[in-house]
Amino acid sequence: MRSERSYVAGLYTRLDAERTRVKGQYNAALRGNGASPMERDVEVRASAKALRRLAVADDGLCFGRLDTLSGDHSYIGRIGLFDEENDHEPLLLDWRAPASRAFYVATAATPENMRRRRQFHTRGRQVIDFTDEVLGRPGGGERGDAALLAAVNAPRGDGMRDIVATIQAEQDRIIRLDHPGVLVIEGGPGTGKTVVALHRVAYLLYTQRERMERHGALVVGPNPAFLNHISRVLPSLGESDVVFMTTGDLVPGLHVTAEDTPEAARLKGSLKILDVLAAAVADRQRLPAQPLPIPLADVTVRIDAETAEWARHEARDSGLPHNEARAVFTEIVTYVLTERAIARIGRGWLTRADRAGWEELRSDLVKELAGDEKFTAALDELWPILTPETLLAGLYASPERLRAAGGDPALARADGDAWTVSDVPLLDELVDLLGSDKSADRTAERERAAAAQHAADVLDSLVGRQDSMDDEDHLFATDLLYADDLAERFVEQDTRDLVERATADRDWTYRHVVVDEAQELSEMDWRVLMRRCPGRSFTVVGDLAQRRSVAGATSWDTMLEPYVPGRWVYRSLSVNYRTPAEIMDIAAALLAEFAPGVRPPESVRACGVQPWSRRVTEDELPAAIEEFVRDEAGREGTSVVIGPPEVPGAVAPSETKGLEFDAVLVVEPERILADGPRGAAELYVALTRATQRLGVLHQGPLPQALTGLVETPAPAKAGQ
């Protein structure tokens, strides 16, 4: 024990020295030392990233040791540390390194040329104890589960914890899987599929850092609470180039404020909505019912239906998005109107041979049309500049436009821009259908150029002041700082970190994408995500039995094969590390009713506490909930009340997907079960959130599948 404590203490000494070295690099980079602003920024970012990676290692820096048959040994930890004075000899292996793999997969039956696995139990920087497992010994059985059971039995904290010290063999095989396409990880509640996917991202960032770190990775989850729950895992593994989003965040700046009906969500999630969107755009490319007069200085010209139809045909045939094709439409209309005007104005005073006169007249007319308000208004009526938001909001709010586009009446709503999650992929699609407004782009470029010129003028002014200073004049440091800051603002570089840049940029593409609760995503959701990752490198996590959305996946093949034919593989997790056997037995009975072909995961442990139920009246329900909350407040760990929206203080089952709590109280399961076609899946989710204790309160008869619960009487009132 003494030697192990001494070795781990030496690792911390090495860690502190490395931190000091990198901190020095960081401070030097901040000072600049003659480097250009861009070079300084690159060095500051690199050293800051290195500091963040070193900062995660204080807790559990080294958690294990492997001894080989030949007598060599290696220490395994969160990061790799090397002896700089001894030919870069590894002092600590990163858990992701190939040499660390045996720590997770070696067993008594397949020892991987290892003799012993040692697992450290630490508190802070101190080794408290360790357990040994001798490998390759006949009858030795599988690896010891002391560390694993200690981890799964520990009270839950505020967020998901990494499992770097307790990764199991079936999990490790998925984490290290060498597959360039889409990996689907399916598993029931508590199988660790989410945390396995996150560790896989950390593994890919380690093994493919040069390829991945410029674009980073994206993790998509079902709701903000879930993302907050998992957000600490990757930083705890030293990885920060990861963006966390819900599907509602995929269009920057959009705020989701409403919820669709199931029918509207189904319609919006289907690829058939693409035809509606295309028709809605085409519907805004109009022909005038009557000729539109454009009075010019010397003549009045008219945009008639024939002219507009020709211009529309040419604009559509250009293949450009709607807003960019307006230039083609405008060019054709301008050509027709100027030819008509020239024919009328030039008659009698221009000869056919006077080519210069004709061209001058044409040029004057083109300029006059370009600056004419009525001409611009006519163009806006026939081929308006559109944004995704204005087009879609107008479509929803207008029964006439919706009907013209072939949309289902179920899509109509009075408040067109009350955005829902299902609107996000439609708005994203419209970005490509509409394209950018080139005139707005040119205006922004002119403003940027003007600001840059202002910065240059300030610098020139200050330099001039410095050249002309006499003994009475002073050039203050603040002047130079202001000028320096102003100039650097327009240097062609972006000083935001990767997460900030990616979050703000709709066109940002990622090297890898993790999709959790993927069974809930619609066909249109997948279109958005495939745009975000042209390399089609995905880790997809889900459980079809827990699908709630009517637009979600009924099979992985249906969703993925159109995008990655033959490039997706399937892996399953079968061991439940979260839900104790007593609770899983109850959930499995429900699963057998609504998904009889799905095998429930096998719990790795029992907790010794039987889940209970209690029937209450409507008047007794609030007090019973308060009793649960009060009792759990006195315990270590976390708890939650899950129930229908009408229950005060209860969280909807869908809001707890992917989360875990020490204790769960499910209220009125019969009402959850009756809530639409996916009510059984909702109840299944609710029942499988607990790691220790589960209680159920019900007013009506208990659903048949839950009759295995132990019925408990209400506590006796005072005086009885």
Side-chain angles (χ1 to χ4, degrees), residues 266-485:
R266 183 188 67 79
L267 292 167
K268 293 177 184 180
S270 169
L271 293 181
K272 294 177 181 178
I273 198 70
L274 294 172
D275 293 334
V276 176
L277 296 179
V281 174
D283 183 55
R284 303 300 293 272
Q285 301 163 355
R286 304 216 158 187
L287 305 179
Q290 299 293 331
L292 301 176
I294 311 294
L296 300 178
D298 298 316
V299 67
T300 295
V301 290
R302 288 173 173 78
I303 305 175
D304 54 29
E306 183 181 13
T307 299
E309 186 172 18
W310 177 30
R312 183 173 71 174
H313 177 78
E314 294 295 326
R316 288 176 175 177
D317 277 2
S318 71
L320 294 171
H322 169 87
N323 290 334
E324 297 170 32
R326 172 172 160 134
V328 179
F329 182 86
T330 302
E331 182 181 3
I332 298 297
V333 173
T334 300
Y335 170 77
V336 172
L337 296 189
T338 54
E339 287 298 308
R340 290 175 179 173
I342 289 171
R344 294 170 61 184
I345 297 173
R347 184 184 301 121
W349 66 275
L350 277 175
T351 67
R352 292 183 180 273
D354 190 0
R355 184 178 299 274
W358 286 105
E359 292 303 322
E360 182 180 354
L361 179 56
R362 178 178 287 105
S363 177
D364 290 343
L365 287 168
V366 168
K367 291 178 182 177
E368 188 176 359
L369 280 172
D372 188 88
E373 292 183 358
K374 288 193 174 182
F375 182 61
T376 300
L379 293 176
D380 289 341
E381 179 182 339
L382 301 176
W383 198 286
I385 293 293
L386 298 169
T387 67
E389 291 81 3
T390 56
L391 177 73
L392 197 58
L395 180 68
Y396 291 150
S398 170
E400 294 79 12
R401 284 180 176 164
L402 192 59
R403 185 166 52 250
D408 192 291
L411 296 173
R413 65 186 186 216
D415 190 354
D417 56 4
W419 304 118
T420 70
V421 170
S422 301
D423 289 326
V424 172
L426 278 62
L427 291 167
D428 192 72
E429 189 74 31
L430 286 168
V431 171
D432 287 346
L433 286 176
L434 296 176
S436 61
D437 178 1
K438 294 299 185 182
S439 62
D441 292 345
R442 287 192 293 269
T443 299
E445 177 60 25
R446 285 195 298 269
E447 291 175 351
R448 190 204 69 80
Q453 183 60 51
H454 173 65
D457 292 343
V458 170
L459 284 172
D460 289 343
S461 173
L462 290 173
V463 171
R465 281 179 56 193
Q466 188 174 23
D467 290 341
S468 62
M469 278 195 307
D470 56 29
D471 293 340
E472 300 298 321
D473 292 325
H474 301 280
L475 185 63
F476 292 103
T478 52
D479 294 329
L480 292 174
L481 287 173
Y482 169 66
D484 187 54
D485 289 344

Side-chain angles (χ1 to χ4, degrees), residues 140-152:
E142 295 296 316
R143 65 174 290 188
D145 286 331
L148 172 64
L149 291 175
V152 297

Side-chain angles (χ1 to χ4, degrees), residues 5-207:
R5 285 177 175 168
S6 175
Y7 190 87
V8 172
L11 292 176
Y12 277 108
T13 300
R14 181 73 193 88
L15 174 67
D16 292 339
E18 183 67 7
R19 280 176 174 162
T20 300
R21 183 185 70 81
V22 176
K23 181 66 174 176
Q25 289 181 338
Y26 177 74
N27 290 333
L30 285 177
R31 290 191 296 270
N33 294 334
S36 70
M38 184 174 293
E39 291 171 334
R40 182 181 66 184
D41 180 59
V42 169
E43 183 60 29
V44 167
R45 288 192 194 187
S47 53
K49 188 177 293 186
L51 279 175
R52 286 195 296 269
R53 287 185 181 136
L54 292 171
V56 305
D58 265 329
D59 186 13
L61 171 63
C62 176
F63 50 77
R65 170 179 145 176
L66 273 174
D67 295 357
T68 68
L69 292 174
S70 61
D72 296 328
H73 59 262
S74 303
Y75 288 85
I76 316 297
R78 288 181 173 274
I79 63 173
L81 291 176
F82 302 90
D83 187 348
E84 305 290 347
E85 299 177 358
N86 189 17
D87 197 26
H88 235 58
E89 185 73 18
L91 301 173
L92 182 68
L93 290 176
D94 190 296
W95 66 275
R96 296 166 287 193
S100 300
R101 179 177 174 273
F103 185 79
Y104 299 109
V105 301
T107 65
T110 55
E112 301 280 331
N113 294 318
M114 298 295 157
R115 182 175 64 86
R116 178 174 60 187
R117 172 173 39 231
R118 174 168 290 175
Q119 189 125 20
F120 296 130
H121 310 289
T122 61
R123 183 180 301 123
R125 292 188 166 201
Q126 186 76 20
V127 176
I128 304 301
D129 195 5
F130 62 76
T131 55
D132 280 349
E133 182 183 2
V134 178
L135 303 168
R137 185 172 59 189
E142 295 296 316
R143 65 174 290 188
D145 286 331
L148 172 64
L149 291 175
V152 297
N153 279 312
R156 305 297 103 175
D158 292 333
M160 180 179 284
R161 298 168 292 196
D162 65 68
I163 58 169
V164 63
T166 58
I167 295 171
Q168 301 300 289
E170 73 166 356
Q171 297 172 329
D172 187 78
R173 285 190 290 270
I174 293 174
I175 290 170
R176 298 175 192 266
L177 183 66
D178 183 16
H179 179 69
V182 177
L183 166 64
V184 176
I185 307 173
E186 185 162 29
T191 53
K193 53 188 180 292
T194 296
V195 75
V196 166
L198 295 175
H199 282 67
R200 176 168 168 77
V201 172
Y203 175 77
L204 293 174
L205 286 167
Y206 174 82
T207 57

